[in-house]
């Protein structure tokens, strides 16, 4: 759970770090580390059988698990985090002469990566819809 949580946190932060003038390399590096952490979390589940569920209990969620990281979530997390990391690295050269639009792309790439990474482990419909609507931004 720790590697998965850190991967999503780094993905979110990479978008905000990318807003700075010299944040392009750091943003791409953070997405790369997030992908590595996600692959590590997936490997633990796929090869070690370590699954987990986050249960907030009570309130709106009524005791049902909000996040469940099992084999299918681990399988889909790998491309979900790996492809945006590759896109961020490619965007360093591709968007070099368009700095103003590149900042916006880095911000939304980080948010998109985190929301997609959250969707693979969502097991509650409302939480899934929140992550899905974040994609629409």
């Amino acid at each position: 759970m720790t590697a998965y949580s850190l991967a999503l946190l780094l993905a979110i932060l990479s978008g905000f770090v990318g807003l700075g003038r010299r944040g392009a390399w750091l943003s791409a590096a953070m997405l790369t580390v997030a992908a590595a952490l996600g692959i590590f979390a997936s490997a633990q589940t796929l090869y070690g059988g370590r699954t987990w569920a986050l249960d907030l209990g009570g309130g709106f969620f009524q005791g049902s698990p909000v996040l469940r990281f099992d084999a299918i979530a681990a399988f889909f997390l790998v491309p979900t985090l790996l492809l945006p990391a590759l896109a961020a690295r490619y965007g360093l050269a591709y968007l070099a002469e368009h700095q103003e639009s590149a900042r916006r792309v880095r911000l939304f790439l980080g948010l998109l990566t985190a929301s997609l990474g959250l969707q693979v482990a969502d097991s509650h419909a409302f939480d899934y819809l929140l992550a899905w609507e974040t994609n629409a931004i």
Side-chain angles (χ1 to χ4, degrees):
M1 181 171 160
T2 304
Y4 173 78
S5 303
L6 284 175
L8 294 185
L9 181 65
L10 277 176
I12 291 171
L13 291 177
S14 73
F16 292 105
V17 166
L19 289 175
R21 289 197 180 271
R22 304 195 190 274
W25 279 97
L26 186 57
S27 177
M30 289 173 79
L31 275 177
T32 303
V33 172
L37 286 169
I39 290 170
F40 176 72
S42 294
Q44 283 183 327
T45 299
L46 290 173
Y47 297 114
R50 295 182 61 194
T51 62
W52 54 266
L54 176 66
D55 187 4
L56 297 178
F60 178 76
F61 297 105
Q62 298 297 324
S64 63
V66 177
L67 295 177
R68 181 178 295 128
F69 198 74
D70 53 4
I72 192 75
F75 178 77
F76 283 109
L77 185 67
V78 173
T80 300
L81 293 178
L82 188 61
L83 292 175
L86 293 173
R89 177 62 184 99
Y90 177 76
L92 290 174
Y94 186 75
L95 296 171
E97 59 268 354
H98 306 289
Q99 284 301 316
E100 189 58 39
S101 62
R103 290 185 194 126
R104 290 191 302 263
V105 168
R106 285 190 295 267
L107 171 67
F108 289 113
L109 182 63
L111 291 175
L112 176 69
T113 303
S115 66
L116 286 172
L118 186 61
Q119 282 179 349
V120 299
D122 279 337
S123 64
H124 195 275
F126 183 73
D127 192 28
Y128 181 83
L129 286 175
L130 286 177
W132 182 268
E133 289 302 321
T134 305
N135 291 337
I137 293 175

